[in-house]
Amino acid sequence: MSQEEKKQLKDKAVQHIKSTYNKEFVVTKVECVREFNSNCFITGNVKDENNTEITVYWMPPEIKDDYVLVKWDQELEPKIKEISNKHFEIKRIETISYTNGTKTNKYTGEIPSVYEVLKNGGDKDYLFKWTGEIYKNGGKYEQSIKNFLEEIKEMNFNRVRVTIYVYDDQLKTSTTKEDEGKYLLYEYVISIDDIQKAEIDSINLNQYKTVY
């Protein structure tokens, strides 16, 4: 890619962020993947209170960005981690996200806090995603899953997908370099279209469970 082409992409991304959110955008990196119809990824920082690093996606003729996704995920992460540690014996949290997938972004101008959106009933176009690994915790984990889902419901999320990998407690004291996979007991992929309509206590978790 020539320098002139890079400059044109930078200018396009800067103009997109300016017209969408009325904010300045400082480009730090431009990458194009010609194998995928010359899709380009323009990374940089939005000049907001957190100097938020985002990516603008140029997929001719469409241009998108992940500003709302990044901003909301950053806001949510401390609270969701707190709730996760409250209910689970955490091995690792892989994903905390509130995303509208490939749908067109409806939020422009000054982006509201994710907590403001949730306070007003949430956004049904957005999916709350949590993926992580937990320990069996002496068998208490199943009630912990329900308690976790109850708190997610109380936060006013709608669509929810929670993926949980449950490991044997013995892994915590293992001193060998053995494959952790041998300690994996269960996988839960809990997908709920509208958690606000769900009776959490009545949910049969076995319908979401895979035994290893």
Side-chain angles (χ1 to χ4, degrees), residues 13-64:
V14 168
Q15 181 56 41
H16 168 72
I17 296 300
K18 183 69 175 176
S19 61
T20 307
Y21 307 109
N22 196 29
K23 294 190 183 300
E24 302 302 321
F25 182 55
V26 178
V27 176
T28 56
K29 188 177 183 182
V30 176
E31 289 182 297
C32 290
V33 186
R34 298 206 176 276
E35 290 84 351
F36 297 100
N37 299 319
S38 298
N39 290 351
C40 295
F41 311 95
I42 303 107
T43 304
N45 299 89
V46 176
K47 293 291 127 183
D48 59 10
E49 64 276 10
N50 296 313
N51 199 38
T52 305
E53 183 176 78
I54 69 161
T55 301
V56 174
Y57 305 92
W58 170 237
M59 299 169 286
E62 196 171 30
I63 186 165
K64 292 185 175 182

Short mmCIF file of all heavy atoms in Angstrom, two decimals, residues 13-64:
data_model
loop_
_atom_site.label_atom_id
_atom_site.label_comp_id
_atom_site.label_asym_id
_atom_site.label_seq_id
_atom_site.Cartn_x
_atom_site.Cartn_y
_atom_site.Cartn_z
N ALA A 13 -10.93 7.55 8.24
CA ALA A 13 -11.22 7.11 9.60
C ALA A 13 -11.43 8.32 10.53
O ALA A 13 -12.35 8.34 11.35
CB ALA A 13 -10.09 6.23 10.13
N VAL A 14 -10.57 9.32 10.38
CA VAL A 14 -10.68 10.53 11.21
C VAL A 14 -12.02 11.21 10.96
O VAL A 14 -12.72 11.63 11.90
CB VAL A 14 -9.51 11.49 10.90
CG1 VAL A 14 -9.77 12.87 11.51
CG2 VAL A 14 -8.20 10.92 11.45
N GLN A 15 -12.41 11.31 9.70
CA GLN A 15 -13.68 11.95 9.35
C GLN A 15 -14.86 11.14 9.87
O GLN A 15 -15.86 11.70 10.36
CB GLN A 15 -13.79 12.11 7.83
CG GLN A 15 -15.07 12.78 7.37
CD GLN A 15 -15.30 14.15 8.01
OE1 GLN A 15 -14.37 14.93 8.16
NE2 GLN A 15 -16.53 14.42 8.42
N HIS A 16 -14.75 9.82 9.81
CA HIS A 16 -15.83 8.95 10.31
C HIS A 16 -16.06 9.16 11.81
O HIS A 16 -17.21 9.33 12.25
CB HIS A 16 -15.46 7.48 10.05
CG HIS A 16 -16.35 6.51 10.77
ND1 HIS A 16 -17.66 6.28 10.42
CD2 HIS A 16 -16.10 5.72 11.87
CE1 HIS A 16 -18.18 5.38 11.24
NE2 HIS A 16 -17.27 5.04 12.13
N ILE A 17 -14.99 9.18 12.60
CA ILE A 17 -15.13 9.36 14.05
C ILE A 17 -15.63 10.77 14.36
O ILE A 17 -16.48 10.96 15.24
CB ILE A 17 -13.79 9.08 14.77
CG1 ILE A 17 -13.37 7.61 14.58
CG2 ILE A 17 -13.90 9.42 16.25
CD1 ILE A 17 -14.38 6.61 15.13
N LYS A 18 -15.16 11.75 13.61
CA LYS A 18 -15.59 13.13 13.82
C LYS A 18 -17.08 13.29 13.53
O LYS A 18 -17.83 13.90 14.31
CB LYS A 18 -14.78 14.07 12.92
CG LYS A 18 -15.09 15.55 13.11
CD LYS A 18 -14.61 16.04 14.47
CE LYS A 18 -14.80 17.54 14.62
NZ LYS A 18 -14.42 18.01 15.96
N SER A 19 -17.54 12.71 12.42
CA SER A 19 -18.95 12.88 12.04
C SER A 19 -19.87 12.01 12.89
O SER A 19 -21.04 12.36 13.09
CB SER A 19 -19.13 12.54 10.55
OG SER A 19 -18.78 11.20 10.29
N THR A 20 -19.37 10.90 13.41
CA THR A 20 -20.21 9.99 14.19
C THR A 20 -20.29 10.40 15.66
O THR A 20 -21.36 10.39 16.26
CB THR A 20 -19.69 8.54 14.10
OG1 THR A 20 -19.55 8.16 12.73
CG2 THR A 20 -20.64 7.57 14.79
N TYR A 21 -19.14 10.78 16.23
CA TYR A 21 -19.09 11.05 17.67
C TYR A 21 -18.65 12.48 18.02
O TYR A 21 -18.57 12.82 19.19
CB TYR A 21 -18.14 10.06 18.36
CG TYR A 21 -18.47 8.62 18.05
CD1 TYR A 21 -17.64 7.85 17.23
CD2 TYR A 21 -19.62 8.02 18.57
CE1 TYR A 21 -17.93 6.53 16.94
CE2 TYR A 21 -19.92 6.69 18.28
CZ TYR A 21 -19.07 5.95 17.48
OH TYR A 21 -19.37 4.65 17.19
N ASN A 22 -18.32 13.25 16.98
CA ASN A 22 -17.83 14.61 17.19
C ASN A 22 -16.58 14.62 18.07
O ASN A 22 -16.44 15.45 18.97
CB ASN A 22 -18.91 15.50 17.81
CG ASN A 22 -18.58 16.98 17.69
OD1 ASN A 22 -17.89 17.39 16.75
ND2 ASN A 22 -19.03 17.78 18.64
N LYS A 23 -15.68 13.68 17.80
CA LYS A 23 -14.42 13.61 18.56
C LYS A 23 -13.24 13.46 17.61
O LYS A 23 -13.38 12.95 16.50
CB LYS A 23 -14.46 12.43 19.54
CG LYS A 23 -15.49 12.59 20.66
CD LYS A 23 -15.35 11.54 21.73
CE LYS A 23 -16.45 11.67 22.78
NZ LYS A 23 -16.43 12.98 23.47
N GLU A 24 -12.09 13.91 18.10
CA GLU A 24 -10.86 13.78 17.33
C GLU A 24 -10.37 12.34 17.41
O GLU A 24 -10.62 11.62 18.39
CB GLU A 24 -9.78 14.72 17.86
CG GLU A 24 -10.18 16.19 17.87
CD GLU A 24 -10.56 16.70 16.49
OE1 GLU A 24 -9.89 16.31 15.50
OE2 GLU A 24 -11.53 17.48 16.38
N PHE A 25 -9.66 11.91 16.37
CA PHE A 25 -9.16 10.53 16.30
C PHE A 25 -7.73 10.58 15.78
O PHE A 25 -7.47 11.12 14.70
CB PHE A 25 -10.04 9.70 15.37
CG PHE A 25 -9.65 8.26 15.25
CD1 PHE A 25 -9.53 7.45 16.37
CD2 PHE A 25 -9.43 7.69 14.00
CE1 PHE A 25 -9.20 6.10 16.26
CE2 PHE A 25 -9.10 6.34 13.87
CZ PHE A 25 -8.98 5.55 15.00
N VAL A 26 -6.80 10.02 16.56
CA VAL A 26 -5.39 10.00 16.17
C VAL A 26 -5.03 8.59 15.75
O VAL A 26 -5.04 7.65 16.55
CB VAL A 26 -4.49 10.45 17.35
CG1 VAL A 26 -3.01 10.37 16.94
CG2 VAL A 26 -4.85 11.86 17.79
N VAL A 27 -4.72 8.42 14.47
CA VAL A 27 -4.42 7.10 13.91
C VAL A 27 -2.99 6.69 14.25
O VAL A 27 -2.05 7.47 14.14
CB VAL A 27 -4.60 7.11 12.38
CG1 VAL A 27 -4.20 5.76 11.79
CG2 VAL A 27 -6.06 7.43 12.02
N THR A 28 -2.84 5.44 14.69
CA THR A 28 -1.51 4.91 15.03
C THR A 28 -1.08 3.77 14.11
O THR A 28 0.10 3.47 14.00
CB THR A 28 -1.49 4.40 16.48
OG1 THR A 28 -2.53 3.42 16.66
CG2 THR A 28 -1.70 5.55 17.47
N LYS A 29 -2.06 3.14 13.43
CA LYS A 29 -1.70 1.97 12.62
C LYS A 29 -2.75 1.74 11.55
O LYS A 29 -3.95 1.88 11.80
CB LYS A 29 -1.60 0.74 13.53
CG LYS A 29 -1.05 -0.52 12.88
CD LYS A 29 -0.93 -1.61 13.93
CE LYS A 29 -0.32 -2.88 13.36
NZ LYS A 29 -0.25 -3.96 14.40
N VAL A 30 -2.29 1.36 10.35
CA VAL A 30 -3.19 1.02 9.25
C VAL A 30 -2.77 -0.33 8.70
O VAL A 30 -1.61 -0.53 8.34
CB VAL A 30 -3.15 2.07 8.12
CG1 VAL A 30 -4.03 1.63 6.96
CG2 VAL A 30 -3.60 3.43 8.63
N GLU A 31 -3.72 -1.27 8.65
CA GLU A 31 -3.45 -2.59 8.10
C GLU A 31 -4.54 -2.96 7.12
O GLU A 31 -5.72 -2.74 7.38
CB GLU A 31 -3.41 -3.66 9.21
CG GLU A 31 -2.21 -3.58 10.13
CD GLU A 31 -2.25 -4.71 11.16
OE1 GLU A 31 -3.20 -4.73 11.97
OE2 GLU A 31 -1.34 -5.56 11.13
N CYS A 32 -4.14 -3.56 5.99
CA CYS A 32 -5.12 -4.02 5.01
C CYS A 32 -4.87 -5.47 4.68
O CYS A 32 -3.71 -5.91 4.59
CB CYS A 32 -5.05 -3.18 3.74
SG CYS A 32 -5.65 -1.49 3.98
N VAL A 33 -5.95 -6.23 4.53
CA VAL A 33 -5.85 -7.65 4.22
C VAL A 33 -6.46 -7.87 2.84
O VAL A 33 -7.68 -7.93 2.69
CB VAL A 33 -6.61 -8.49 5.28
CG1 VAL A 33 -6.38 -9.98 5.03
CG2 VAL A 33 -6.16 -8.10 6.68
N ARG A 34 -5.62 -7.93 1.85
CA ARG A 34 -6.10 -8.00 0.48
C ARG A 34 -6.81 -9.33 0.19
O ARG A 34 -7.64 -9.41 -0.71
CB ARG A 34 -4.95 -7.79 -0.50
CG ARG A 34 -4.31 -6.42 -0.35
CD ARG A 34 -3.65 -5.93 -1.62
NE ARG A 34 -3.13 -4.56 -1.45
CZ ARG A 34 -3.84 -3.46 -1.59
NH1 ARG A 34 -5.12 -3.56 -1.88
NH2 ARG A 34 -3.29 -2.28 -1.42
N GLU A 35 -6.50 -10.38 0.96
CA GLU A 35 -7.17 -11.67 0.77
C GLU A 35 -8.66 -11.56 1.07
O GLU A 35 -9.46 -12.37 0.64
CB GLU A 35 -6.54 -12.74 1.67
CG GLU A 35 -5.13 -13.15 1.26
CD GLU A 35 -4.07 -12.22 1.83
OE1 GLU A 35 -4.45 -11.17 2.39
OE2 GLU A 35 -2.88 -12.54 1.69
N PHE A 36 -9.03 -10.56 1.88
CA PHE A 36 -10.43 -10.39 2.27
C PHE A 36 -11.00 -9.11 1.66
O PHE A 36 -11.39 -8.18 2.33
CB PHE A 36 -10.55 -10.35 3.79
CG PHE A 36 -10.13 -11.62 4.46
CD1 PHE A 36 -8.87 -11.74 5.03
CD2 PHE A 36 -10.97 -12.72 4.47
CE1 PHE A 36 -8.47 -12.93 5.63
CE2 PHE A 36 -10.58 -13.91 5.07
CZ PHE A 36 -9.32 -14.02 5.65
N ASN A 37 -10.98 -9.07 0.34
CA ASN A 37 -11.57 -7.94 -0.39
C ASN A 37 -11.00 -6.59 0.03
O ASN A 37 -11.71 -5.59 0.10
CB ASN A 37 -13.09 -7.94 -0.21
CG ASN A 37 -13.72 -9.21 -0.75
OD1 ASN A 37 -13.33 -9.69 -1.80
ND2 ASN A 37 -14.66 -9.76 0.00
N SER A 38 -9.73 -6.58 0.35
CA SER A 38 -9.03 -5.33 0.72
C SER A 38 -9.63 -4.65 1.96
O SER A 38 -9.62 -3.43 2.08
CB SER A 38 -9.03 -4.35 -0.46
OG SER A 38 -8.34 -4.90 -1.56
N ASN A 39 -10.16 -5.45 2.89
CA ASN A 39 -10.62 -4.88 4.15
C ASN A 39 -9.45 -4.26 4.90
O ASN A 39 -8.36 -4.82 4.92
CB ASN A 39 -11.27 -5.96 5.03
CG ASN A 39 -12.60 -6.42 4.47
OD1 ASN A 39 -13.11 -5.83 3.53
ND2 ASN A 39 -13.15 -7.47 5.04
N CYS A 40 -9.71 -3.10 5.51
CA CYS A 40 -8.63 -2.40 6.21
C CYS A 40 -9.03 -2.10 7.64
O CYS A 40 -10.21 -1.87 7.95
CB CYS A 40 -8.30 -1.09 5.49
SG CYS A 40 -7.62 -1.36 3.83
N PHE A 41 -8.04 -2.12 8.51
CA PHE A 41 -8.24 -1.89 9.94
C PHE A 41 -7.38 -0.71 10.36
O PHE A 41 -6.15 -0.76 10.26
CB PHE A 41 -7.87 -3.15 10.74
CG PHE A 41 -8.49 -4.40 10.17
CD1 PHE A 41 -7.79 -5.21 9.29
CD2 PHE A 41 -9.79 -4.75 10.50
CE1 PHE A 41 -8.36 -6.35 8.75
CE2 PHE A 41 -10.37 -5.89 9.97
CZ PHE A 41 -9.66 -6.69 9.10
N ILE A 42 -8.04 0.35 10.81
CA ILE A 42 -7.33 1.58 11.18
C ILE A 42 -7.43 1.74 12.69
O ILE A 42 -8.52 1.97 13.23
CB ILE A 42 -7.92 2.81 10.45
CG1 ILE A 42 -7.89 2.59 8.93
CG2 ILE A 42 -7.14 4.06 10.82
CD1 ILE A 42 -9.23 2.33 8.32
N THR A 43 -6.31 1.56 13.37
CA THR A 43 -6.27 1.62 14.83
C THR A 43 -5.80 3.00 15.27
O THR A 43 -4.97 3.63 14.62
CB THR A 43 -5.31 0.55 15.38
OG1 THR A 43 -5.71 -0.73 14.89
CG2 THR A 43 -5.32 0.53 16.91
N GLY A 44 -6.36 3.46 16.38
CA GLY A 44 -5.94 4.76 16.90
C GLY A 44 -6.64 5.06 18.21
O GLY A 44 -7.27 4.19 18.82
N ASN A 45 -6.51 6.31 18.66
CA ASN A 45 -7.07 6.73 19.94
C ASN A 45 -8.08 7.86 19.75
O ASN A 45 -7.79 8.86 19.10
CB ASN A 45 -5.96 7.20 20.88
CG ASN A 45 -4.97 6.09 21.20
OD1 ASN A 45 -3.98 5.91 20.48
ND2 ASN A 45 -5.25 5.34 22.24
N VAL A 46 -9.26 7.64 20.33
CA VAL A 46 -10.27 8.69 20.36
C VAL A 46 -9.91 9.66 21.48
O VAL A 46 -9.58 9.25 22.59
CB VAL A 46 -11.68 8.11 20.63
CG1 VAL A 46 -12.71 9.23 20.75
CG2 VAL A 46 -12.07 7.14 19.52
N LYS A 47 -9.96 10.94 21.19
CA LYS A 47 -9.58 11.94 22.18
C LYS A 47 -10.76 12.21 23.14
O LYS A 47 -11.44 13.22 23.06
CB LYS A 47 -9.15 13.24 21.47
CG LYS A 47 -7.87 13.11 20.68
CD LYS A 47 -6.70 12.94 21.60
CE LYS A 47 -5.82 11.76 21.31
NZ LYS A 47 -4.73 11.60 22.26
N ASP A 48 -10.97 11.23 24.03
CA ASP A 48 -11.97 11.37 25.08
C ASP A 48 -11.26 11.35 26.42
O ASP A 48 -10.03 11.45 26.47
CB ASP A 48 -13.04 10.27 24.99
CG ASP A 48 -12.45 8.86 25.12
OD1 ASP A 48 -11.25 8.73 25.46
OD2 ASP A 48 -13.19 7.89 24.89
N GLU A 49 -12.00 11.20 27.51
CA GLU A 49 -11.40 11.28 28.84
C GLU A 49 -10.42 10.14 29.13
O GLU A 49 -9.55 10.26 29.99
CB GLU A 49 -12.49 11.31 29.93
CG GLU A 49 -13.36 10.06 30.03
CD GLU A 49 -14.52 10.06 29.04
OE1 GLU A 49 -14.55 10.94 28.14
OE2 GLU A 49 -15.40 9.19 29.17
N ASN A 50 -10.55 9.04 28.36
CA ASN A 50 -9.67 7.88 28.58
C ASN A 50 -8.71 7.63 27.43
O ASN A 50 -7.99 6.63 27.44
CB ASN A 50 -10.52 6.62 28.81
CG ASN A 50 -11.36 6.71 30.07
OD1 ASN A 50 -10.86 7.10 31.12
ND2 ASN A 50 -12.63 6.36 29.97
N ASN A 51 -8.71 8.53 26.43
CA ASN A 51 -7.85 8.34 25.26
C ASN A 51 -8.06 6.93 24.70
O ASN A 51 -7.11 6.19 24.42
CB ASN A 51 -6.37 8.55 25.63
CG ASN A 51 -5.51 8.82 24.41
OD1 ASN A 51 -5.92 9.50 23.47
ND2 ASN A 51 -4.30 8.29 24.42
N THR A 52 -9.32 6.55 24.52
CA THR A 52 -9.71 5.18 24.21
C THR A 52 -9.15 4.69 22.88
O THR A 52 -9.33 5.32 21.85
CB THR A 52 -11.26 5.08 24.18
OG1 THR A 52 -11.77 5.57 25.42
CG2 THR A 52 -11.71 3.65 23.98
N GLU A 53 -8.48 3.54 22.94
CA GLU A 53 -7.94 2.92 21.72
C GLU A 53 -9.03 2.09 21.05
O GLU A 53 -9.64 1.23 21.68
CB GLU A 53 -6.74 2.03 22.03
CG GLU A 53 -6.12 1.44 20.76
CD GLU A 53 -4.88 0.63 21.02
OE1 GLU A 53 -5.02 -0.53 21.46
OE2 GLU A 53 -3.77 1.15 20.80
N ILE A 54 -9.28 2.36 19.78
CA ILE A 54 -10.33 1.65 19.04
C ILE A 54 -9.81 1.28 17.66
O ILE A 54 -8.71 1.66 17.26
CB ILE A 54 -11.61 2.51 18.90
CG1 ILE A 54 -11.35 3.70 17.95
CG2 ILE A 54 -12.11 2.98 20.25
CD1 ILE A 54 -12.61 4.32 17.39
N THR A 55 -10.67 0.56 16.93
CA THR A 55 -10.37 0.22 15.54
C THR A 55 -11.52 0.67 14.65
O THR A 55 -12.69 0.47 14.99
CB THR A 55 -10.15 -1.30 15.38
OG1 THR A 55 -9.08 -1.71 16.22
CG2 THR A 55 -9.82 -1.64 13.93
N VAL A 56 -11.18 1.28 13.54
CA VAL A 56 -12.16 1.62 12.50
C VAL A 56 -11.99 0.59 11.39
O VAL A 56 -10.86 0.30 10.97
CB VAL A 56 -11.94 3.05 11.95
CG1 VAL A 56 -12.87 3.31 10.77
CG2 VAL A 56 -12.15 4.08 13.04
N TYR A 57 -13.09 0.02 10.94
CA TYR A 57 -13.07 -1.04 9.93
C TYR A 57 -13.57 -0.49 8.60
O TYR A 57 -14.72 -0.06 8.50
CB TYR A 57 -13.95 -2.21 10.37
CG TYR A 57 -13.59 -2.75 11.74
CD1 TYR A 57 -14.21 -2.26 12.89
CD2 TYR A 57 -12.62 -3.75 11.87
CE1 TYR A 57 -13.88 -2.76 14.14
CE2 TYR A 57 -12.28 -4.25 13.12
CZ TYR A 57 -12.92 -3.75 14.25
OH TYR A 57 -12.58 -4.24 15.48
N TRP A 58 -12.70 -0.51 7.61
CA TRP A 58 -13.08 -0.08 6.26
C TRP A 58 -13.30 -1.33 5.43
O TRP A 58 -12.37 -2.05 5.06
CB TRP A 58 -11.99 0.79 5.66
CG TRP A 58 -12.14 1.12 4.20
CD1 TRP A 58 -11.23 0.87 3.20
CD2 TRP A 58 -13.25 1.75 3.55
NE1 TRP A 58 -11.71 1.29 1.99
CE2 TRP A 58 -12.96 1.84 2.17
CE3 TRP A 58 -14.49 2.24 4.01
CZ2 TRP A 58 -13.83 2.40 1.25
CZ3 TRP A 58 -15.37 2.79 3.09
CH2 TRP A 58 -15.03 2.88 1.73
N MET A 59 -14.59 -1.62 5.18
CA MET A 59 -14.96 -2.80 4.39
C MET A 59 -15.81 -2.29 3.24
O MET A 59 -17.04 -2.18 3.37
CB MET A 59 -15.75 -3.78 5.27
CG MET A 59 -14.93 -4.28 6.46
SD MET A 59 -15.91 -5.19 7.69
CE MET A 59 -16.79 -3.81 8.47
N PRO A 60 -15.15 -1.87 2.15
CA PRO A 60 -15.84 -1.18 1.07
C PRO A 60 -17.16 -1.83 0.68
O PRO A 60 -17.18 -3.05 0.50
CB PRO A 60 -14.83 -1.26 -0.08
CG PRO A 60 -13.51 -1.43 0.59
CD PRO A 60 -13.78 -2.22 1.83
N PRO A 61 -18.26 -1.05 0.60
CA PRO A 61 -18.29 0.41 0.75
C PRO A 61 -18.62 0.87 2.18
O PRO A 61 -18.97 2.00 2.39
CB PRO A 61 -19.43 0.81 -0.20
CG PRO A 61 -20.40 -0.34 -0.05
CD PRO A 61 -19.56 -1.58 0.16
N GLU A 62 -18.52 -0.03 3.16
CA GLU A 62 -18.97 0.24 4.52
C GLU A 62 -17.81 0.62 5.42
O GLU A 62 -16.70 0.11 5.27
CB GLU A 62 -19.67 -1.01 5.08
CG GLU A 62 -20.50 -0.78 6.30
CD GLU A 62 -21.32 -2.02 6.65
OE1 GLU A 62 -20.88 -3.15 6.36
OE2 GLU A 62 -22.40 -1.85 7.23
N ILE A 63 -18.10 1.49 6.37
CA ILE A 63 -17.10 1.84 7.39
C ILE A 63 -17.76 1.74 8.76
O ILE A 63 -18.87 2.23 8.97
CB ILE A 63 -16.50 3.25 7.14
CG1 ILE A 63 -15.35 3.51 8.12
CG2 ILE A 63 -17.56 4.34 7.22
CD1 ILE A 63 -14.48 4.70 7.73
N LYS A 64 -17.11 1.02 9.68
CA LYS A 64 -17.63 0.82 11.03
C LYS A 64 -16.52 1.05 12.04
O LYS A 64 -15.35 1.19 11.68
CB LYS A 64 -18.17 -0.61 11.19
CG LYS A 64 -19.42 -0.92 10.40
CD LYS A 64 -19.93 -2.33 10.73
CE LYS A 64 -21.24 -2.63 10.05
NZ LYS A 64 -21.76 -3.98 10.39
#
